[in-house]
Amino acid sequence: MSRWFGLGFGLWLWLPSLVWAQAIGGYAAGCQLDARALPASGPGFYVIRRARERFYGQPSLIDYLQRLGRGARQAGLPPMLIADIAMERGGPFSSGHRSHQTGLDADIWLRPPPDDPSPSRLQRIRAIDMVDHRYYILNAHFRDPQRQLIALAAQDESVSRVFVHPLIKNAMCKAYGDAPWLGKLRPWFGHSSHFHVRLHCPKGDTLCEPQAQVPAGTGCGRELASWLNDKAGAISAGPRTPFRPRLPKQCIGRVR
Ligand SMILES: [Zn+2]
């Protein structure tokens, strides 16, 4: 009897470390438990600006990014540069975007890696804008490798949305016609040097708040046209002030 009790107690101590990873709350008002760190590099990827310590995510996202890196390598694409994921405990960043709070969002830069991807170089690296904002067109930096990487990223079943600049969505619509995953590409200003991948809530994370399903269809028609015509929005999409949302009670005291 006591032996069984001992075994049970041992399991009870051990199991939470396996099953406790959790995304809590919404993408822009939440936190995460038991996040995993994405290694500094791996097949098909490098993590940039590691000093910011925003390379933590839920296991589903870390697995996804490693899978995407392998896929990119198999497709003969250059290694991708992964920027912000989330802080170890999630929660709002002190600067930058509002989401990335639950370990289910990641930014991937559109520029190829530098010739010398040493840690110090990757720490200081600069983004390359794919949009010529004066004429409001894509510039020569946006080419087939960028298109292929975005397509690979969006096709994965665990992906809910991929945010891209409206001009990039337009280019993807032209290149991929009526591919069903085009509907996951959501036009959003400010995403002209990187794209932003958002995963679905992991199964069983009952405190994770999912976002509404994306509308049916490719989103390449009238919806996109309204974004392309909104030049005022394009101009006002600048740096934002720090964002302090109301967090779920499970996050209070856990995040800065
Ligand atoms: Zn982002």
Side-chain angles (χ1 to χ4, degrees), residues 4-19:
W4 288 113
F5 174 78
L7 182 66
F9 188 64
L11 269 176
W12 178 77
L13 284 177
W14 175 70
L15 273 175
S17 66
L18 274 187
V19 297

Side-chain angles (χ1 to χ4, degrees), residues 56-104:
Y56 293 93
Q58 286 298 294
S60 60
L61 180 61
I62 301 301
D63 289 347
Y64 163 80
L65 291 169
Q66 291 176 318
R67 192 159 68 238
L68 183 59
R70 290 192 299 270
R73 178 185 263 195
Q74 268 167 24
L77 299 174
M80 55 184 187
L81 299 176
I82 300 175
D84 287 350
I85 303 177
M87 294 183 293
E88 186 170 9
R89 293 174 172 194
F93 289 152
S94 54
S95 62
H97 18 218
R98 295 186 167 201
S99 60
H100 291 259
Q101 295 195 29
T102 53
L104 298 172

Side-chain angles (χ1 to χ4, degrees), residues 84 97 99-100 105-107 191 194-196:
D84 287 350
H97 18 218
S99 60
H100 291 259
D105 293 283
D107 287 340
H191 290 72
H194 75 279
F195 61 98
H196 172 144

Side-chain angles (χ1 to χ4, degrees), residues 180-204:
W181 48 264
L182 280 169
K184 295 189 204 173
L185 298 187
R186 311 304 298 159
W188 207 262
F189 294 123
H191 290 72
S192 53
S193 60
H194 75 279
F195 61 98
H196 172 144
V197 180
R198 172 168 295 170
L199 299 200
H200 292 292
C201 279
K203 281 199 185 78

Side-chain angles (χ1 to χ4, degrees), residues 19-24 58 200-208:
V19 297
W20 203 242
Q22 255 197 95
I24 296 177
Q58 286 298 294
H200 292 292
C201 279
K203 281 199 185 78
D205 283 13
T206 50
L207 297 173
C208 179

